Amino acid sequence: MNDVLATLTSAQRDAVTFMDGPLLILAGPGSGKTRVITHRVAHMLQQGVSPQQILALTFTNKAADEMRERVRSLAPRQEVWMGTFHRFCAQLLRSRAEMVGLAPNFTIYDADDSLRTVKRAIKETEKDAGFCSPDQVMRAISWAKNNFITHDRYKPSSGSPLGETVKRVYPVYQDLLLASNAVDFDDLLVYVATLLKESDEIRADLDDAYRYVMVDEYQDTNLTQYAIVRAISHHHPNLAVTGDPDQSIYGWRGANLSNILEFENDYPSVRVVRLEDNYRSTARICHVADVLISHNTRRKEKTLIARQGGGRQVRLIRYATHREEADAIADRVVAEAAAGKRRLCDFAVFYRINALSRVFEDALRARGVPYQIVSGVEFWQRKEIKDVVAYLQLLCNPRDDNAFSRIVNVPTRGIGKTTLERLSAHARRRRICLLDAAREAGVVESISKRSAVAVAKFAALYDRLAEGISLSLEKLMTLVLTESGYLAMYQDSDAPDDQERAANITELVTAGREFDVEHPDGSGLEAFLEQAALVNDVDDWEEENECVTLMTLHAAKGLEFPVVFIVAVEQGILPVERARDDEDRVEEERRLLFVGITRAKEDLDISFVRTRQFRGSSRVAIPSPFLENLPRDEMELVGFAANGRNDGLTIDYDGAQDGADAPWTDEEFDQTAAPVNPGMPQLPGVQLTTAADMLAFAEGKSVSQSSSDEFETGMAVIHPEYHIGKIVSISGSGAKRMATVNFVEYGQKRFLLSKSPLRPVRR
DNA sequence: TGTGAGTTGATTTTT
DNA sequence: TCAACTCACA
């Protein structure tokens, strides 16, 4: 046997060697998924598949880099394209930009740029938008795009004021983007999906070019990504997807769990491989995770088979206050590190929301323990970095109005809000970009003489900078920084913040220099900006760093640590209060806890407190209902009432500390509860249950309505919760027609056919 | 136009 | 708690 297969288990080997046809790899946590993917690629290469025919799509650059690295060591010198969906789409779109009305030098807006643009769009359409925040509108638009609903197909659900606003703002937002020759993250996907849908030639070309497509973390794909993947795996359905429905934690970003749950329906000839062995965690940790997740309904039944020994009991700890919680954890870290039992990098603290990190930072700092926070304020998101990048963006794409407004008065040049508004009114009248409008400022009557001079000076500055456009990035950046006076603004200041900003800018220049070295072919500006937009990932998280890691549960996905502390497992925090009334969202929160638990290799502490200071005020904290989903009899309970009943989870308010307010009341919850999927477009009368149907609807096709008489005994059917099953018997008729279905995973269930979401499995 | 005090309102965030 | 935004004044 060749060495690519030698070290694999039989299940892993199945997944690696199955090359032709659709493949679904259900990979539990710690099951060696990355190994399987990389070995699969290496195996294909060994079998003579050309590297150009393989496409591997991931969600993060980090995952892609890691895979590329590992494939490289297995199969040297055969470069396979591996990267994120967004990068793949960006590259594709560069070469076909004109087809969607863009120029090839389009700018990719990040979340912040997009939000600014939404604000501008709101200003144009809404007289009084007081009732809905730009943030909500942005989210609704993003939601629509993730569901492949373009602005012309957007229909608000009836009676939703937010929906009505979105209906007006969405097209204007698209206009602004187009006028600026810019796209947002979601557009990258939407444009490519549109191209594939509208041009069968492009679709067939790509389908043909990429004979073997792999998608990692398939449970996180949204409908638009689904459309892309399906389109390029049509004639050559050699599509392998890996994922774990239990680790889907990005539903709020539009991830569609149905994609993975119904993969078998989309590709009936699919081969399913389950990787259930867990090589990461102790048996006890696996068991806790397994019991917890079994409380979810929308999933594929799966157990974690522990391959490690029993290990230490998982601890469930109640502390009096958040401070005590943090102190206890910090003390334990100090004790174990001092005793030489553990290194600092063995420890990780996970919390649901960033705002909770403070106490832990304080506790660690007080003890002199180094720590790192993952994904705090990202480098590229910093104001000073975004400003400098905006100068570069404007140089690369002069039509970028967003970049223009960002920097036109930074450092201050006497061009204020009023001038900018007048300039922008002029630009709109003449249908030109702001930079061109600036060149005409002198002839705009409403603009005062003094302001016009200031604007003209800025235009002149721009032209001077533009002369350096073909310089190396390092030189261009230096030119920008000195000519604009931007760097001096911070250097001349004594404030320590400003000094730090100046240092960050120096770091940016260094990044530019490195980029120059890596891309000696010149024309690096566009590529550098694309990198800056899509490679947010300066991932300062270094495994090797000798320090404790603090991060959100979301950030923890894909990582592992010997010792894990999951803190603040309390009602209103995990699950977050807004998930409260929506069972799907509660399940997602439960999966989040599942992800956290399964990161732990040896030791796991789950904790909550009785009073927590949060957002300034102290509250009695209620233990999370998820704690009741844990096998508490088999866990070590610490800090519970010493009355012998191990029921410290029953809520008692005796322990309310001084200064604590009353616990959350129902009214408070109701007031904060957001509507489900705000701005989600209205769906037709039929219940759309499968991804394929949703896609058809999004694309404006009529959805085949399943009438109850298309069912018959013996037919294979699919159900959103119970998945695949077979009709054993049918009784009654018309609206009262009932079917008894035997589900593969869930056994027999009975349905009223006219009401049920059952659908026949297409063959 | 630019600045300081006051108000408000808060998840998670692969790209 | 804290940062982002508004509004009044210099």
Side-chain angles (χ1 to χ4, degrees), chain A residues 76-303:
Chain A
R77 286 185 307 284
Q78 290 190 286
E79 288 290 308
V80 173
W81 200 94
M82 297 185 157
T84 64
F85 267 98
H86 293 263
R87 188 177 276 273
F88 174 71
C89 291
Q91 289 182 5
L92 200 69
L93 201 55
R94 290 267 179 227
S95 60
R96 331 240 172 183
E98 326 74 48
M99 294 189 70
V100 298
L102 291 163
N105 61 337
F106 61 81
T107 307
I108 300 169
Y109 279 1
D110 69 7
D112 182 69
D113 299 324
S114 311
L115 189 63
R116 285 160 170 268
T117 310
V118 163
K119 284 179 189 163
R120 279 199 287 145
I122 290 176
K123 210 170 268 173
E124 278 190 29
T125 57
E126 307 300 293
K127 283 187 186 61
D128 173 35
F131 65 92
C132 61
S133 68
D135 215 62
Q136 286 176 301
V137 176
M138 180 77 253
R139 232 172 313 170
I141 292 176
S142 178
W143 178 274
K145 288 182 177 180
N146 287 155
N147 284 282
F148 201 19
I149 294 169
T150 47
H151 63 89
D152 48 307
R153 289 199 302 257
Y154 182 89
K155 285 195 193 65
S157 32
S158 53
S160 151
L162 176 63
E164 292 297 329
T165 303
V166 173
K167 171 95 190 132
R168 287 187 296 269
V169 174
Y170 190 178
V172 176
Y173 171 69
Q174 278 323 109
D175 280 351
L176 289 177
L177 285 173
L178 217 50
S180 287
N181 191 29
V183 301
D184 65 20
F185 284 143
D186 303 318
D187 280 339
L188 289 170
L189 306 174
V190 171
Y191 278 130
V192 167
T194 307
L195 278 176
L196 289 168
K197 180 183 127 197
E198 285 175 359
S199 159
D200 199 56
E201 200 188 326
I202 295 179
R203 195 207 59 71
D205 277 357
L206 291 171
D207 194 345
D208 220 43
Y210 299 113
R211 294 295 172 89
Y212 297 93
V213 177
M214 277 183 248
V215 182
D216 190 23
E217 307 281 14
Y218 193 68
Q219 77 280 352
D220 289 336
T221 49
N222 59 41
L223 202 70
T224 310
Q225 287 161 329
Y226 172 85
I228 294 170
V229 170
R230 287 222 67 173
I232 61 175
S233 317
H234 189 70
H235 290 306
H236 304 285
N238 307 321
L239 170 65
V241 305
T242 63
D244 178 3
D246 293 337
Q247 292 184 64
S248 162
I249 54 177
Y250 285 100
W252 52 275
R253 286 281 280 105
N256 183 9
L257 199 47
S258 305
N259 291 167
I260 190 162
L261 293 178
E262 288 155 22
F263 192 75
E264 288 145 294
N265 189 38
D266 292 333
Y267 297 93
S269 65
V270 67
R271 170 73 163 274
V272 182
V273 176
R274 282 162 197 269
L275 304 178
E276 296 179 296
D277 291 325
N278 180 303
Y279 300 94
R280 177 188 296 150
S281 311
T282 64
R284 284 194 159 121
I285 294 171
C286 287
H287 179 63
V288 170
D290 207 28
V291 171
L292 171 75
I293 204 64
S294 69
H295 288 81
N296 270 12
T297 55
R298 284 201 80 194
R299 66 187 221 106
K300 284 190 181 279
E301 203 76 18
K302 179 165 60 55
T303 38

